[in-house]
Amino acid sequence: MKQADIAFSDLSKQKGMKAAFLQYLDSSGVLLRPDHYPIVGKDAQQFFQHINDSAFTLTWVPQHASLAESGDLGYTYGIYTYTNEDTTFQGTYVSIWEKQADGNWKFVLDTGNLGLGKEK
């Protein structure tokens, strides 16, 4: 699961945040975002469809991962970095992951905040 979170961040760096989130978002996944009610399922997928991520990069590093005894549910949390042309911000995030029938991991809930402020 932690490796899935790392691969998720790597994909965001390589192909953009939109591609990464759409690939790793479970079909019933939930996004908790500032100034929004919970964004669920198809609405969460549509949320990313309208994002233009060509002017920024979003990456993150999981600092901790914990897996349920059942082995099919867990969470990661860590620090994310948002970088555009002239500014870098960091914040914290948490993702809840569910193992899919094919053995891959997708997140079922994702949230973050700007808790660390401006780096540069």
Side-chain angles (χ1 to χ4, degrees):
M1 178 189 63
K2 186 175 183 180
Q3 289 305 314
D5 198 10
I6 292 168
F8 180 23
S9 177
D10 290 345
L11 184 62
S12 180
K13 184 176 183 177
Q14 294 165 3
K15 295 196 175 182
M17 180 197 76
K18 178 174 24 180
F21 273 79
L22 287 172
Q23 180 170 323
Y24 281 90
L25 173 64
D26 183 80
S27 62
S28 62
V30 177
L31 304 173
L32 301 178
R33 297 294 187 261
D35 303 318
H36 286 81
Y37 287 99
I39 308 166
V40 182
K42 289 183 181 181
D43 290 336
Q45 293 169 350
Q46 289 177 348
F47 177 82
F48 289 109
Q49 293 294 342
H50 304 291
I51 292 177
N52 178 355
D53 59 3
S54 63
F56 67 89
T57 303
L58 180 68
T59 58
W60 53 92
V61 177
Q63 294 187 318
H64 179 79
S66 185
L67 189 61
E69 192 173 311
S70 63
D72 61 355
L73 192 66
Y75 68 90
T76 55
Y77 68 79
I79 306 296
Y80 73 82
T81 303
Y82 171 98
T83 305
N84 66 23
E85 202 172 278
D86 57 356
T87 306
T88 298
F89 289 95
Q90 289 190 307
T92 57
Y93 77 93
V94 63
S95 297
I96 299 175
W97 296 86
E98 186 173 56
K99 194 173 203 177
Q100 307 294 295
D102 63 6
N104 291 313
W105 290 90
K106 294 209 174 197
F107 71 85
V108 293
L109 187 137
D110 180 76
T111 191
N113 69 63
L114 294 172
L116 301 178
K118 191 174 181 180
E119 184 179 271
K120 291 182 185 174

